[in-house]
Amino acid sequence: MGKLNYKKTFLLGFGFFATSITWSVYNAFMPKLLSNFITSSAIIGFIMTFDNYFALFIQPAVGMYSDGIKTRFGRRMPFLMVGMPLAVLFIFLIPNYKGLATLVAALLLMNLSMSLFRSPVIALMPDITPEEERSKANSIINFMGGIGSLIAFFIGSILWNLSPKYPFYLAGALVLLSFIILFTCIKEKRDVINYEQAEKKINFKEGFKVAFKNPSTKFLLMAISAWFMGYNGIETFFTRYGEMYLGIDVSAAAFSFTFISLSFLVFAIPAGMIGTKLGKKKTITIGLIGAMAVFFILIFIKNILIIRVFFVALGIFWAMININSYPFVAQMSPIGYLGTFTGMYYLFSSIANIVSPPLLGVVFDLIGFKWMFAYGLFFMIIAFLFIRKVE
C-alpha cells in the first residue's frame, strides 16, 4: 500500500481552492448582476448554465486529451498554464461590464477558460495518490475548496457591500496565487505514480465505451447528476430566493451560504476518513438521507436564522456525498483513463448544472420561490435510488 503525501496533496488543493472560490463568487453574485438587465428567473438560470455547456463538450475532451499528451511540463500542467491565467483576466473583466452584451461576453470567456483546466487539475489528485488513499486525498483538496467557498461567501458578502466589483477581484487574485503555487510545487514527472505507464492515447469512442462498460459506473454517474440537480439549483438561486421570498438583502443571503461552506470545511477531512472506513457507497448514502431530511424541513421554514442552523447540517451531509463521489468514479478507472473518467464525472455533473438552474427558474416563474427546497428534495430522492443500484 502506498502512503499519502500530505504536503503534495495540500499544495494540489490550491487548484480546487481556485475553482471553488470562482464558482462560489459566480453563483452568489452573477444572478444579481444579470437581474439588472433581465427580470425572468428562467432566463437568468439559462445564462448561469453557460459554464456547463463548455463543461459538457470541452471538459471530457480535455480530460481525454490530457491522458495521452506528453510535454516537458507533463500531461495536465499545460492546460493549467493556459486556462488559469486566462480565467484570471476574464474574472477581472466581469464586473467592469458596460452593458448586458459585455457582461455575457466576459462570463462566456471566463467559463471557457475554466473549462480548459478543471478536468486536468482534478485528475492530478488520483495521478499522485495511491488508490486506497484517494478518499483522504479528496477530503484534503475539498477542505481547500471549502476554504475557497468560505472566503467567497463570507469575505465576498462583505466586499459586495463596498463594491460589486470587489468579490470578483478577490476571486481573480486568489486564482492567480493558486496557479503560481501549483506551477511551482507540482512536477508531474517527479510526483505522478507510474508516470510513463499512465500515458495512453484515447479517442472519444473508446473513452465513452470504457466508462459505460460497467453498469455500476453508469448508475453512479446518474446519481451524481441527480444530486447536483438538487444542490446546484439551490446554490445558484439562493441569493434570489433570499431577496424575493425571505425578504433579506443579497449580501445576507450570500452570507447564509457561509454556514454550509464552514461545516463542509470542518467535516471535509472526517468525511474522507469515514469514506475510507465505511466505504464510499455507504457514506454517500448516509449523506443523501441526511440531505433529504434537511431539504424536507427547510420547505416549511422562512426564518433565515433557523435556515442557517440547518445549513450547518446540510454542509456536513454534502461533504459526505461530495468528498467521496469523485474518488468513487476514479476507483472505477483503468490505468490510463483517469482523465477520461474525470471528464465523465464533469460531463454528468455538467448535464445537471445545465438543466437545473433554468428548470428551477421556470418553477419560480410558474409557482413561486416557495418550492425551492422541495425541488432539491425531489432530486436527492432520485440520487438515492440510483446510488442503491451501484455495486
Side-chain angles (χ1 to χ4, degrees):
M1 292 177 63
K3 291 184 178 180
L4 179 63
N5 187 322
Y6 285 93
K7 180 182 177 182
K8 290 295 180 188
T9 305
F10 174 77
L11 292 169
L12 182 58
F14 276 95
F16 208 70
F17 171 87
T19 57
S20 292
I21 193 169
T22 302
W23 295 123
S24 295
V25 165
Y26 182 82
N27 287 329
F29 301 113
M30 185 59 72
K32 179 59 179 174
L33 295 184
L34 291 169
S35 71
N36 293 331
F37 304 97
I38 301 167
T39 57
S40 169
S41 294
I43 294 174
I44 292 173
F46 172 71
I47 293 173
M48 290 295 293
T49 65
F50 283 176
D51 61 307
N52 297 293
Y53 286 99
F54 288 120
L56 188 65
F57 299 106
I58 295 174
Q59 284 177 205
V62 168
M64 291 177 192
Y65 188 58
S66 72
D67 280 333
I69 69 167
K70 185 176 182 179
T71 75
R72 67 189 184 96
F73 296 105
R75 297 193 304 277
R76 320 293 187 193
M77 190 58 69
F79 297 94
L80 278 65
M81 293 166 65
V82 174
M84 293 186 81
L86 284 175
V88 171
L89 172 63
F90 296 121
I91 292 168
F92 284 146
L93 288 178
I94 282 175
N96 292 293
Y97 62 89
K98 302 299 182 184
L100 180 60
T102 55
L103 176 61
V104 172
L107 73 87
L108 276 170
L109 291 167
M110 186 213 79
N111 288 327
L112 175 60
S113 303
M114 294 289 290
S115 291
L116 294 177
F117 74 87
R118 286 178 78 186
S119 287
V121 78
I122 298 302
L124 274 169
M125 185 278 285
D127 275 347
I128 70 173
T129 308
E131 182 176 320
E132 63 275 7
E133 298 289 348
R134 286 174 184 168
S135 278
K136 289 181 184 176
N138 204 44
S139 70
I140 293 170
I141 68 171
N142 275 274
F143 176 83
M144 295 293 290
I147 293 175
S149 295
L150 190 64
I151 290 171
F153 293 126
F154 180 65
I155 299 179
S157 63
I158 296 171
L159 293 176
W160 175 269
N161 287 328
L162 299 175
S163 169
K165 295 182 179 182
Y166 290 168
F168 293 91
Y169 292 164
L170 173 69
L174 291 175
V175 172
L176 180 60
L177 174 65
S178 299
F179 169 68
I180 293 169
I181 292 171
L182 286 166
F183 183 74
T184 304
C185 300
I186 302 295
K187 306 297 180 184
E188 289 186 59
K189 293 182 180 180
R190 177 192 65 198
D191 299 325
V192 171
I193 300 168
N194 298 323
Y195 177 78
E196 295 298 330
Q197 183 182 2
E199 293 179 11
K200 187 178 181 71
K201 292 190 179 296
I202 304 165
N203 59 40
F204 275 104
K205 185 176 180 181
E206 182 185 359
F208 276 89
K209 183 178 179 181
V210 171
F212 285 94
K213 188 175 182 180
N214 185 344
S216 286
T217 307
K218 287 190 288 187
F219 286 122
L220 176 58
L221 290 170
M222 287 188 285
I224 288 167
S225 191
W227 67 59
F228 274 111
M229 284 283 292
Y231 186 82
N232 180 265
I234 291 170
E235 183 184 34
T236 300
F237 270 115
F238 188 75
T239 50
R240 289 283 288 163
Y241 174 84
E243 184 181 27
M244 303 300 294
Y245 181 68
L246 301 179
I248 61 176
D249 61 37
V250 170
S251 62
F255 176 74
S256 298
F257 248 80
T258 302
F259 291 84
I260 296 179
S261 299
L262 184 59
S263 62
F264 182 95
L265 179 66
V266 171
F267 205 70
I269 292 175
M273 293 177 176
I274 293 169
T276 300
K277 186 170 183 179
L278 295 184
K280 298 173 183 66
K281 177 183 174 180
K282 186 176 291 186
T283 305
I284 289 170
T285 302
I286 295 169
L288 286 169
I289 292 170
M292 287 187 285
V294 170
F295 281 145
F296 177 76
I297 293 167
L298 288 176
I299 294 170
F300 307 100
I301 297 176
K302 201 171 178 180
N303 184 301
I304 188 60
L305 296 179
I306 299 175
I307 289 173
R308 288 171 178 175
V309 172
F310 280 99
F311 272 7
V312 173
L314 182 60
I316 292 171
F317 295 126
W318 184 240
M320 296 180 76
I321 298 166
N322 206 15
I323 294 297
N324 292 287
S325 58
Y326 174 64
F328 206 178
V329 173
Q331 178 180 305
M332 298 179 180
S333 168
I335 289 176
Y337 288 83
L338 275 172
T340 302
F341 274 59
T342 302
M344 292 298 102
Y345 174 83
Y346 277 113
L347 173 66
F348 275 77
S349 62
S350 297
I351 290 171
N353 296 340
I354 285 170
V355 175
S356 191
L359 179 60
L360 184 53
V362 170
V363 171
F364 289 157
D365 289 341
L366 293 178
I367 60 176
F369 286 85
K370 179 180 178 180
W371 302 106
M372 184 178 75
F373 288 110
Y375 172 93
L377 172 61
F378 173 78
F379 284 105
M380 289 297 172
I381 293 171
I382 298 297
F384 175 79
L385 296 175
F386 279 133
I387 202 69
R388 291 195 37 102
K389 292 181 175 290
V390 177
E391 297 296 331

